Amino acid sequence: MEKVIFENTLQSYLIAAGIIVLGILVIRLFKRSILEWLSRMVKKSDTTFDDFLVHGLSTAILPLLYFAVFYFTLKSLILPPFLNRALDVAAMLLWTFLVTRLIIFSIRYLLGNYLKRKGRGESSMQQMKGVTLILSALIWIMAILFFISNLGYNVATLLTGLGIGGIAIALATQNIIADLFNYFVLFFDRPFEVGDFVVVEDKSGSVEAIGIKTTRIRALTGEQLVFSNTDLTNSRLHNFKRLQQRRIVFTLGVTYDTSKEKLTKIPLIIQEAITSQPETRFDRAHFMSYGEYSLIFEVVYFVLSDNYNKYMDINQQINLYIYDAFEREDIQFAYPTQQIIMQSPTPRTAPTVIH
């Protein structure tokens, strides 16, 4: 047992092996008993924070415990310098890897909770994958630089070289970078979501996908419209999905020979036509002005729905109701007419009127 092998006794090797085996058994016992018990408990709770903690324990703490058993046990032995260095580098690499994964997982958890609190739909969850992908890439870059710095290399020199090249790349890809940052603007500011019907300048359609660089919209005529994210954030965009009620203004004209009694009835007929329909709110109906060939009434009402087809159905029923009511009351809709008065040269003859 006292025989020396590579500067350590055989007894030291056996003790180290025993400590490693015992440590692995203790960790496995901890995983099978405590962690599984915690997993069963958190499934019964309504909160997700405890799920986050259990997941963090299983993905980050357990690997660290396994490595700690090997690391501190081997460190208790007399090792060659290159093995000591290798152990330190491995410990640093594992620590950086696990902490980076834990940070990324925390960001996903926090963003997911944020979207749930805001009542975002499945489309926002899909869009979150793009955001976490970009953030993950940035965090991994920082983790790699941190690891290189801890190895003893001068990161400042590396960053200076990368900075000069980065400026050239940034100038060449400034439009892509602008679209990338505007993707974050669309995600957090949420001017629209997948499924919303939007109008951008003279283009309109339903949002199909929100990408890291472009957003795709399906036009009413069937083709797909592709907008850069920068174009959308810089444009005046109309989102009809956010329309809670639709204000409708229309006019109608009746003939000049309509009696005053019937003119008084017309606003009441129109009001009844509107209030008889579901999901509508009457605002006003007035005899507005004298037109060239008609007496003009202006009507304003609201449809309490964002559905365009429902609005058209209601509008049609109101028009049919008014048409039937005017027919019963013998009220004539006006249409363009012209009156010509022909004067006879003989003064005693009455003028002839042609309509």
Side-chain angles (χ1 to χ4, degrees), residues 64-85:
L64 280 176
L65 290 176
Y66 279 117
F67 183 79
V69 170
F70 283 93
Y71 179 81
F72 289 109
T73 303
L74 293 177
K75 278 288 187 179
S76 66
L77 301 174
I78 300 174
L79 300 175
F82 76 92
L83 282 181
N84 273 319
R85 176 63 175 167

Side-chain angles (χ1 to χ4, degrees), residues 203 208-209 211 213-219 223-229 231-232:
K203 308 296 182 182
E208 278 194 339
K213 186 183 187 305
T214 61
T215 296
R216 292 165 176 81
I217 295 175
R218 182 66 61 181
E223 74 273 16
Q224 188 182 70
L225 306 175
V226 181
F227 295 88
S228 69
N229 293 332
D231 288 341
L232 291 177

Side-chain angles (χ1 to χ4, degrees), residues 62-271:
L62 284 179
L64 280 176
L65 290 176
Y66 279 117
F67 183 79
V69 170
F70 283 93
Y71 179 81
F72 289 109
T73 303
L74 293 177
K75 278 288 187 179
S76 66
L77 301 174
I78 300 174
L79 300 175
F82 76 92
L83 282 181
N84 273 319
R85 176 63 175 167
L87 273 177
D88 291 336
V89 171
M92 193 187 310
L93 178 62
L94 180 66
W95 178 260
T96 304
F97 175 76
L98 292 177
V99 169
T100 304
R101 281 191 60 190
L102 188 60
I103 291 173
I104 292 172
F105 178 73
S106 302
I107 290 173
R108 288 176 180 169
Y109 170 77
L110 293 173
L111 279 177
N113 262 8
Y114 169 79
L115 294 179
K116 288 178 182 178
R117 287 199 308 271
K118 294 293 183 179
R120 303 280 190 96
E122 184 63 27
S123 62
S124 294
M125 293 296 183
Q126 293 295 327
Q127 191 180 354
M128 186 189 74
K129 293 180 180 179
V131 174
T132 53
L133 177 64
I134 297 168
L135 292 176
S136 299
L138 294 174
I139 292 170
W140 276 115
I141 291 171
M142 294 174 63
I144 292 170
L145 292 175
F146 172 80
F147 176 71
I148 293 173
S149 175
N150 280 277
L151 289 179
Y153 295 99
N154 190 355
V155 181
T157 305
L158 178 63
L159 289 176
T160 302
L162 290 175
I164 296 172
I167 292 172
I169 295 173
L171 291 174
T173 61
Q174 54 183 334
N175 291 333
I176 297 175
I177 295 173
D179 289 331
L180 182 63
F181 278 101
N182 282 307
Y183 176 74
F184 282 90
V185 173
L186 295 177
F187 177 77
F188 288 104
D189 193 47
R190 199 167 62 111
F192 56 83
E193 292 180 347
V194 173
D196 290 2
F197 185 84
V198 297
V199 176
V200 185
E201 297 177 354
D202 60 337
K203 308 296 182 182
S204 62
S206 298
V207 179
E208 278 194 339
I210 304 172
I212 294 176
K213 186 183 187 305
T214 61
T215 296
R216 292 165 176 81
I217 295 175
R218 182 66 61 181
L220 292 175
T221 48
E223 74 273 16
Q224 188 182 70
L225 306 175
V226 181
F227 295 88
S228 69
N229 293 332
T230 303
D231 288 341
L232 291 177
T233 54
N234 291 337
S235 300
R236 290 179 175 85
L237 185 141
H238 302 264
N239 189 343
F240 283 90
K241 184 66 178 295
R242 308 285 173 86
L243 184 72
Q244 297 180 347
Q245 60 182 15
R246 191 182 298 268
R247 184 177 185 266
I248 294 92
V249 181
F250 71 92
T251 59
L252 57 84
V254 297
T255 58
Y256 266 90
D257 58 2
T258 306
S259 66
K260 181 181 177 182
E261 180 184 355
K262 292 179 180 179
L263 290 176
T264 306
K265 284 184 179 181
I266 288 174
L268 300 177
I269 293 172
I270 294 172
Q271 181 176 358

Side-chain angles (χ1 to χ4, degrees), residues 330-346:
D330 193 27
I331 300 173
Q332 301 296 319
F333 288 100
Y335 53 88
T337 58
Q338 188 176 29
Q339 187 180 66
I340 301 174
I341 301 176
M342 299 181 65
Q343 183 69 46
S344 172
T346 305

